[in-house]
Amino acid sequence: MPMTIIDSQVHIWGPETPDKPYFTENAAKPHRSIPLGHKELLQVMDANGVHRTVCVPPTWEGFSNEESLLAARLHPDRFAVMGRLAIDKRESRELLPKWKSQPGMLGIRTAFHQGRAPAWLEDGTADWFWDAAERYDVPVMALAPQAVPKLGEIAERHPGLRLIVDHMGLSSALRGKPLDGAIDNLVKLARLKNVAVKVSALPCYVEEAYPFPTLHPLIRRVVDAFGPQRCFWGTDLSHLTSTYKQCLTLFTEELRFLSDNDKEWILGRGIAEWLNWPLPQQA
């Protein structure tokens, strides 16, 4: 059966309305003025041979997972969701036991890079969350580019927690700058078998044209350290600085050190198994 390609991160969202204003406190602005909906995303996927996408609700929609869950309900064979949760709110603690009972919901995506959120990793605010995610087997994607070593400490304390480090631990503040230091921090986590990494949105972190030669040795370091089974390709489409096709062909055509088996894992099989989203032949 042909390789199944899964995009590990795309934000989709609806238009801002008086009843549903965009969340502005500690949140980024929308990546573009026209919302990216699931219909447009399907067209992009179909045009590039991508079979599935993990939808990650954006910060500017607050903690609403509505648009992403709708896409998953309408197209369960194409979309699933890593939803957002307000981990600083006490009422959120009641949601974890049944989190994955929501149709299409595979886990949680957290962000610790804006506003007060970075402090939550240090002041105890997030402690309950890691405990509960491990207890209820809820996979977590974490964006914490300034605190990758801290994510390693959390994963070591919670060996049953399935933790994915977003975007190879890179920060947008590093765009056009040396990335080796950030990769040094990331590969130290490879010894922890409950940690995986999204090799996602990578053209956003360099100021050079396709095929982004600066990225090649960095990706190789990460794949060599974690193994292809724990490296998950993704685009972050609405934020992408290259074309969608270039983000894909970087892995399918340009990274000559990847074997066909490596590509199968990185481009889909790995994240399907990590998130328990069975591939068609496994269903």
Side-chain angles (χ1 to χ4, degrees):
M1 183 172 287
M3 175 174 62
T4 298
I5 300 178
I6 302 175
D7 191 331
S8 66
Q9 175 167 323
V10 174
H11 300 299
I12 59 173
W13 68 98
E16 184 175 32
T17 67
D19 295 332
K20 188 181 174 183
Y22 290 152
F23 182 77
T24 57
E25 183 182 0
N26 303 330
K29 296 180 180 179
H31 289 160
R32 57 184 229 182
S33 59
I34 300 175
L36 175 60
H38 73 270
K39 292 181 180 179
E40 180 182 348
L41 176 55
L42 277 174
Q43 293 175 347
V44 174
M45 292 164 61
D46 289 344
N48 290 278
V50 174
H51 303 92
R52 294 177 168 185
T53 289
V54 179
C55 296
V56 176
T59 57
W60 50 87
E61 283 211 313
F63 295 95
S64 171
N65 299 310
E66 177 184 339
E67 292 291 331
S68 294
L69 287 173
L70 173 61
R73 287 197 301 271
L74 292 174
H75 303 278
D77 57 331
R78 307 298 301 276
F79 299 123
V81 184
M82 292 291 282
R84 281 176 49 77
L85 179 74
I87 64 176
D88 62 326
K89 305 298 183 184
R90 191 163 191 85
E91 56 267 27
S92 294
R93 303 184 184 207
E94 302 175 4
L95 302 177
L96 265 293
K98 297 183 179 180
W99 186 258
K100 292 192 296 182
S101 67
Q102 303 173 81
M105 187 68 82
L106 299 179
I108 291 173
R109 199 267 187 149
T110 59
F112 298 101
H113 67 305
Q114 295 173 329
R116 297 185 298 271
W120 298 347
L121 292 173
E122 301 289 350
D123 65 10
T125 299
D127 289 356
W128 76 269
F129 171 71
W130 307 117
D131 291 340
E134 180 180 31
R135 182 180 311 118
Y136 298 111
D137 192 27
V138 177
V140 176
M141 293 175 171
L143 177 62
Q146 308 304 327
V148 170
K150 183 66 177 181
L151 294 180
E153 295 173 16
I154 291 165
E156 194 159 23
R157 288 201 306 270
H158 299 278
L161 171 69
R162 283 177 285 156
L163 182 63
I164 302 171
V165 179
D166 283 359
H167 309 331
M168 293 204 320
L170 300 175
S171 166
S172 57
L174 294 175
R175 176 174 169 80
K177 301 177 181 178
L179 304 176
D180 301 84
I183 301 304
D184 290 342
N185 285 334
L186 177 66
V187 297
K188 291 175 183 176
L189 275 58
R191 63 184 179 83
L192 301 168
K193 300 306 180 184
N194 60 325
V195 177
V197 57
K198 282 167 26 186
V199 288
S200 52
L202 299 183
C204 298
Y205 300 103
V206 293
E207 292 183 342
E208 60 187 4
Y210 180 84
F212 320 114
T214 298
L215 292 173
H216 296 203
L218 302 178
I219 297 170
R220 184 164 195 168
R221 283 189 65 195
V222 173
V223 173
D224 286 348
F226 284 86
Q229 296 86 353
R230 290 190 287 148
C231 295
F232 312 141
W233 171 79
T235 65
D236 202 8
L237 173 59
S238 60
H239 198 222
L240 196 58
T241 54
S242 69
T243 68
Y244 192 92
K245 182 178 181 179
Q246 288 172 336
C247 196
L248 178 58
T249 57
L250 171 63
F251 283 81
T252 59
E253 299 177 9
E254 300 297 338
L255 300 180
R256 306 298 172 82
F257 56 86
L258 295 179
S259 69
D260 288 343
N261 184 64
D262 293 339
K263 294 174 187 178
E264 179 184 355
W265 280 103
I266 294 169
L267 290 168
R269 183 178 176 185
I271 196 162
E273 292 195 6
W274 193 270
L275 299 180
N276 290 329
W277 190 13
L279 295 174
Q281 63 266 35
Q282 299 172 321

